Amino acid sequence: MDNSSESNSHKSFLNLSNEDLGLTATSGANFWLDKGFTWLTYFFATITVAILFLMSWVIYKEAKPAIEKFGIGFFWGQDWDTGNQVFGALPYIYGTLVSSAIAILFAIPIGIAIAIVTSENFLPISVRSTLAFIVELIAAIPSVIVGLWGIFVFIPVLEPLQKWLASYFNWIPLFNSVDPIGTNMLTAGIVLAIMILPTMAAISRDVLLAIPKELRSASMALGSTRWETIFRVLLPAGFSGIVSAAMLALGRALGETMAVTLVIGNSSQISASLLDPAYTIPSILANEFAEAEPGLHVGSLSYLGLILFGLTLGVNIAARLFVRWFSNKNKS
């Protein structure tokens, strides 16, 4: 019996050793798999950053003739004369910033409203899902189609309102225009708002859906109404995500090309009135780059592209810093 027990113990020890060896081999394979995935992630991240710097370098190289000739004065120059080789960026920077500001002012409240309606139990789940799908589907429409829709449908609808604003509110600089024709800054801003609305609404909805349900239950258990819960609990809890959604939407608005080109009027004159035609950086790049003469003309257009790149990068950096500041303020 003793010999049999010793034999069984020896077999169990051998079996245990084999299992341990198999476990060790599996752990080693998982270790190298994890390591390989980590290095692969680092590699693709490095490639992404390298492409970003390469794009910046290529644009800077093309813009160098204009940078050397005009320097920092290019930013506030207002002339764009291809015959005399005199170029300035201020009208295009102004048009880009103002049209994007109009778009984001319309898109933020409407996008948050859509996110609330499609994430809270105001409507049946089938209706909410359908509404969210339709809003997100707008993002799949090509921008040139949106621009054509703006010309043939939106401008005829909006033009009487613009004429009414110019007639009765011309004492306000924003609406002081002699004869608004529909293709102007206000139209471009509203069309841009329609284009960035899916980004604003979809991301805000995902942010609200990600908030733990316990927060809703706790707030309503303390006697808060549904609207008090939304405005005092849910929106503050998802504030950083909503700001990120707004900045992504603003980034798209800054770089939108075809839809804006078709409805903004393409005038390089700076006007305080939103009912006057204007120009944006993407619009002039689309209109002139194909026929631009090599040298200073191409360099000036590339300089505008470099400015647009800096604007979008600055907006994203500012958004990240603001979200981090707000998060630290809430923690303290």
Side-chain angles (χ1 to χ4, degrees), residues 79-99:
D79 296 325
W80 193 271
D81 188 349
T82 56
N84 295 319
Q85 297 288 287
V86 177
F87 303 99
L90 187 59
Y92 314 104
I93 297 174
Y94 173 79
T96 302
L97 293 178
V98 174
S99 60

Side-chain angles (χ1 to χ4, degrees), residues 10 33 37 58-59 68 124 137 143 147 163 217 227 246 262 286 289 305:
H10 185 63
L33 188 63
F37 181 77
V58 170
I59 297 173
E68 292 176 348
L137 196 62
S143 62
K163 289 183 180 296
S217 303
W227 288 108
L262 292 173
F289 207 94

Side-chain angles (χ1 to χ4, degrees), residues 87-146:
F87 303 99
L90 187 59
Y92 314 104
I93 297 174
Y94 173 79
T96 302
L97 293 178
V98 174
S99 60
S100 300
I102 295 171
I104 205 68
L105 286 176
F106 279 104
I108 286 177
I110 298 174
I112 293 176
I114 293 173
I116 292 172
V117 170
T118 55
S119 63
E120 300 300 313
N121 295 323
F122 292 107
L123 299 170
I125 182 64
S126 58
V127 178
R128 282 184 280 146
S129 300
T130 303
L131 182 60
F133 174 75
I134 291 173
V135 172
E136 292 176 6
L137 196 62
I138 299 175
I141 302 175
S143 62
V144 66
I145 302 301
V146 177

Side-chain angles (χ1 to χ4, degrees), residues 178-199:
V178 177
D179 185 24
I181 58 175
T183 52
N184 50 46
M185 183 81 79
L186 182 61
T187 303
I190 297 176
V191 169
L192 268 180
I194 295 171
M195 296 199 64
I196 67 175
L197 186 60
T199 303

Side-chain angles (χ1 to χ4, degrees), residues 154-166:
F154 191 62
I155 288 178
V157 171
L158 198 62
E159 191 172 353
L161 175 61
Q162 294 181 355
K163 289 183 180 296
W164 179 77
L165 289 172

Side-chain angles (χ1 to χ4, degrees), residues 223-280:
S224 300
T225 64
R226 184 184 297 274
W227 288 108
E228 287 175 336
T229 300
I230 290 172
F231 286 103
R232 296 186 179 182
V233 177
L234 300 184
L235 291 181
F239 179 78
S240 60
I242 293 172
V243 170
S244 299
M247 292 304 105
L248 286 173
L250 179 59
R252 182 180 180 186
L254 288 169
E256 185 53 52
T257 306
M258 290 309 302
V260 179
T261 304
L262 292 173
V263 300
I264 200 170
N266 298 328
S267 172
S268 58
Q269 301 298 316
I270 297 177
S271 174
S273 176
L274 301 180
L275 304 180
D276 287 337
Y279 227 144
T280 65

